[in-house]
Amino acid sequence: MHKSFELFKYLKLSGALRLQNIQTRRMHVKVIKMRWLTGGVNYSYLLSSQDKTKSWLIDPAEAVEVLPNLKPEESVTIEAVVNTHHHYDHSGGNQAVVSRLVESSGHDVKVICGSHTSPGATDIPKNLQEYTLGDLTIRCIRTPCHTQDSVCYYVSDPQTGEKCIFTGDTLFTAGCGRFFEGTGEEMDYALNRRILDGVGEPNWDGTKVYPGHEYTKSNVKFVRTAVYKNLGDNAALDRLEQFCGKNKVTTGSFTIQDELDYNPFMRLDDPSVRDAVDDSQGSLSRAKVMDRLRKIKNSM
């Protein structure tokens, strides 16, 4: 009886330790709100390795809002300020933030961007170029359209299997960015080739999406009005709509596979999407469908 009890305690303890190890070994994404009081509803993100010794600070556009949200022990771990694209509401804080980080940490801080249009850029990654951040692997997926220097950052932890992607203004939950510097054809390629291929089909279901803005509620309203007009037309949209009714912050809650299930910009051959752009015969090119869909969204 005594030996059995000791064995039970050992198994229980070892199991708890394994569980603790699983729980502590994880990538960390800290969500920082910016410009919410002025209607921008932007996000900056602090991405950290599982041991929190190395970090990237993504799209810190507003230094006065981002820096106070960083603990001293977080600031000293930041190796790079990273932009998803050059627009001011994503890159405008680069120089002020870097200056403060260098002052507090005493080490150089890279500025990784899609082009030198972003202030202070030091690294311009090529498509599919990879970086390491502790145990994390970060793949840069260039997605020109919203801007020609748009880059999405796909992050994976081979130790835990965790995955996420920072998509800036290219991919939003249930939507996509405006085609400021590109075309419908380029956005189709960015969303439905570059991102999907860069992440890889086996990883779609487990890759959480962190976009540049909290536009989910308005995107759902558009999709419900223009495409899947009735409950039951798209079960995934029904669930997203319900989630939005209960949560103001949706970033990081949905995956690439979720987007494929309800995002019309990633469902260009869906008959419901074709009907929404007056192409019930399915004769339009995907690029034309993308253009028309975006035009409807712009008018709302």
Side-chain angles (χ1 to χ4, degrees), residues 125-130 139-143 194:
K126 297 178 180 179
N127 187 47
L128 302 182
Q129 181 175 331
E130 293 188 346
R139 180 176 299 160
C140 305
I141 304 173
R142 298 191 68 101
T143 51
R194 281 283 174 92

Side-chain angles (χ1 to χ4, degrees), residues 120-158:
T122 63
D123 285 39
I124 312 298
K126 297 178 180 179
N127 187 47
L128 302 182
Q129 181 175 331
E130 293 188 346
Y131 291 85
T132 57
L133 185 68
D135 285 347
L136 306 180
T137 299
I138 304 172
R139 180 176 299 160
C140 305
I141 304 173
R142 298 191 68 101
T143 51
C145 181
H146 179 71
T147 65
Q148 286 299 305
D149 63 359
S150 291
V151 182
C152 298
Y153 300 93
Y154 169 57
V155 186
S156 59
D157 186 336

Side-chain angles (χ1 to χ4, degrees), residues 23-265:
Q23 290 174 334
T24 57
R25 281 196 58 84
R26 57 190 177 90
M27 71 170 69
H28 304 271
V29 178
K30 182 174 183 175
V31 177
I32 302 172
K33 294 179 180 179
M34 298 180 300
R35 307 178 77 243
W36 280 53
L37 296 179
T38 56
V41 288
N42 285 69
Y43 286 121
S44 178
Y45 300 102
L46 181 70
L47 168 69
S48 302
S49 58
Q50 57 85 16
D51 60 3
K52 295 188 176 182
T53 62
K54 298 178 184 298
S55 303
W56 274 14
L57 185 59
I58 300 171
D59 285 351
E62 302 289 349
V64 295
E65 294 185 84
V66 173
L67 291 173
N69 278 286
L70 298 176
K71 299 176 182 178
E73 60 269 28
E74 292 173 331
S75 295
V76 297
T77 69
I78 297 172
E79 297 188 341
V81 164
V82 181
N83 293 160
T84 57
H85 60 293
H86 71 261
H87 284 165
Y88 172 80
D89 62 328
H90 295 260
S91 69
N94 285 2
Q95 292 174 316
V97 169
V98 168
S99 178
R100 180 71 66 84
L101 293 177
V102 170
E103 180 182 336
S104 62
S105 69
H107 61 70
D108 290 339
V109 176
K110 294 179 180 179
V111 180
I112 301 173
C113 318
S115 76
H116 286 287
T117 308
S118 285
T122 63
D123 285 39
I124 312 298
K126 297 178 180 179
N127 187 47
L128 302 182
Q129 181 175 331
E130 293 188 346
Y131 291 85
T132 57
L133 185 68
D135 285 347
L136 306 180
T137 299
I138 304 172
R139 180 176 299 160
C140 305
I141 304 173
R142 298 191 68 101
T143 51
C145 181
H146 179 71
T147 65
Q148 286 299 305
D149 63 359
S150 291
V151 182
C152 298
Y153 300 93
Y154 169 57
V155 186
S156 59
D157 186 336
Q159 302 297 321
T160 65
E162 291 176 288
K163 298 170 285 288
C164 70
I165 186 168
F166 299 92
T167 56
D169 289 4
T170 294
L171 172 63
F172 297 122
T173 305
C176 71
R178 291 176 182 262
F179 311 162
F180 284 130
E181 298 180 9
T183 64
E185 183 176 14
E186 284 181 305
M187 184 57 81
D188 181 25
Y189 194 77
L191 292 176
N192 301 309
R193 287 290 304 275
R194 281 283 174 92
I195 289 178
L196 295 184
D197 291 349
V199 171
E201 186 171 358
N203 302 313
W204 294 346
D205 190 48
T207 300
K208 294 182 178 180
V209 179
Y210 289 92
H213 296 263
E214 184 53 63
Y215 288 160
T216 306
K217 191 171 183 178
S218 63
N219 287 339
V220 167
K221 182 179 180 181
F222 156 67
V223 180
R224 178 64 77 197
T225 301
V227 185
Y228 305 115
K229 299 180 180 180
N230 304 300
L231 285 173
D233 287 350
N234 184 302
L237 181 70
D238 295 346
R239 292 190 293 271
L240 177 61
E241 188 174 44
Q242 186 176 35
F243 186 89
C244 288
K246 299 176 180 178
N247 299 274
K248 290 184 178 181
V249 173
T250 66
T251 186
S253 299
F254 300 95
T255 67
I256 292 291
Q257 184 58 57
D258 291 325
E259 297 304 315
L260 288 167
D261 290 341
Y262 54 60
N263 190 328
F265 297 97

